[in-house]
Amino acid sequence: MRLIASSWLPPAKSTVAADYDLLFNFILFAGLIIFAIVVVTMVLFVVKYRRRGKAGKTSGKDHNLVLELLWSILPFLLTLIVFDWGFASYIRLNVAPANSLEIKVKAQKWSWVFEYPEGLTEINKLVVPVDQPVKLLMSSADVIHSFYVPWFRVKADVLPNRYSSLWFEAIDTGEYAIFCAEYCGKGHSEMLGIVEVVTDSAYAAYIESGTKLGEGLTLEEFGKQLFTSKACFTCHTIDGKNSQGPSFFMRFGKSIVMSDGSQIVVDENYIRESILSPGVRIVSGFQPIMPTFQGILKEREVDALVVYVKSLGKQ
Ligand code: CUA
């Protein structure tokens, strides 16, 4: 059982996962056993009772009450077991314990944004304490995504204009992958994240250092750090090669052509606008695919990124 389970699902790492696997395997093996009984009996009967020439006579028996009751009542009982078990598991999977730590998730093409109760936001990395129920309250900024962590056996669609939620309680520290399980466009397969399950004290330290992020750094140093931690690099380079978005190298102060044919000079305000309302003015030759960072970045973080992009233009 263990061997078969592990050959198609990763190890169970949340409190609900073991029960989920057991039910899944119960349904699977009950189905296989019934399939074998039906098919083997059918093949045996086809051979044993085959027509042997013109003289062969069909038996006069047309029913057997005991057998018919058995093959009706036993499968019915089996479905009742699965229903009861499945319903109880479903409720457990869907009702988060009252003491859950609540973290907001915003999905957008093509990244995950996590917002902690303390105000800290993080992109593509979710840090949670071990042995603590965590409830995710999720919504999408654009299309339908699906939040999926196979190790925890949890998955839920993430929809625009409404909240969906799921919860889990990790039983082991470690790093587990987050997948987007709903085709959401070109970057779908790269919409990946990591759940980092850590000890209570490591979690407290993480929140503490996260909320103090950038303290003691100059705006330029902080911007450089944010360029990496906010995953800007997935679409923008700093070496002059254009990727999904324009490169930041030597951009500042330059005149560029926009998609509507107009020309603008890249200044602080244009960078700020591009971060907070990226759809307003698109550089010619690029698609309007950048998600907004409105509400994700704090004022000082926007300032830092502006200074950083500016510093790349001066080189
Ligand atoms: Cu988001 Cu697929």
Side-chain angles (χ1 to χ4, degrees), residues 211-225:
T211 42
K212 283 189 187 156
L213 197 73
E215 262 179 35
L217 295 180
T218 66
L219 277 181
E220 189 181 321
E221 290 165 341
F222 187 31
K224 189 174 179 181
Q225 194 182 75

Side-chain angles (χ1 to χ4, degrees), residues 108 110 112 143-146 180-185 187-189 191:
Q108 51 186 10
W110 287 280
W112 302 100
V143 297
I144 302 177
H145 302 273
S146 182
C180 178
E182 183 76 48
Y183 183 67
C184 54
H188 162 72
S189 62
M191 195 168 164

Side-chain angles (χ1 to χ4, degrees), residues 16 19-20 23 83-95 167:
V16 293
D19 179 51
Y20 175 105
L23 176 57
F83 171 76
D84 181 68
W85 191 350
F87 189 67
S89 298
Y90 179 81
I91 296 293
R92 243 193 327 275
L93 264 171
N94 277 277
V95 182
W167 80 275

Side-chain angles (χ1 to χ4, degrees), residues 11 20 27 32 40 44 68 73 75 100 126 129 146 157 190 210 247 282 308-309 312:
Y20 175 105
I27 295 172
L32 282 178
V40 168
L44 285 179
E68 281 166 23
I73 293 168
S100 297
L126 172 63
S146 182
D157 277 7
E190 286 152 38
S247 174
I282 304 291
Y308 178 58
V309 174
L312 294 167

